Amino acid sequence: EYKRDLETGKSGPDSAQSERQRARKAYDAKGIDRKGKDIDHIKPLRAGGKSTTGNLRLRAKKANQGDNK
């Protein structure tokens, strides 16, 4: 399964999952409390946004989930 995910871009160093993990680590390194918050895309993926550090932000779960209805 991992090999297939690498081939399709769902896993690996350039995947969206890896970008979110890098964002989490960056927030942690800055001492920012992420408890109860989501990593959110400023420009949604469905609108052509990317999972890059510059397009990710930290938001309350309720606010983030409210945008995705």
Side-chain angles (χ1 to χ4, degrees), residues 16-54:
Q17 181 180 15
S18 291
E19 285 292 335
R20 285 190 301 274
Q21 186 60 32
R22 281 192 280 276
R24 288 182 193 104
K25 288 179 181 180
Y27 285 122
D28 291 345
K30 292 177 183 178
I32 297 171
D33 182 21
R34 298 185 294 111
K35 187 175 181 179
K37 297 181 181 165
D38 286 342
I39 302 287
D40 176 47
H41 292 87
I42 297 167
K43 181 176 183 181
L45 297 174
R46 67 180 175 271
K50 304 282 183 189
S51 289
T52 58
T53 307

Side-chain angles (χ1 to χ4, degrees), residues 2-21:
Y2 178 70
K3 187 175 181 180
R4 184 181 68 238
D5 285 350
L6 278 176
E7 292 169 358
T8 61
K10 291 182 181 177
S11 287
D14 296 326
S15 70
Q17 181 180 15
S18 291
E19 285 292 335
R20 285 190 301 274
Q21 186 60 32

Side-chain angles (χ1 to χ4, degrees), residues 36-38 40 59-69:
K37 297 181 181 165
D38 286 342
D40 176 47
R59 289 185 77 194
K61 284 184 182 281
K62 188 173 182 178
N64 189 33
Q65 292 169 354
D67 286 351
N68 296 320
K69 289 184 179 178

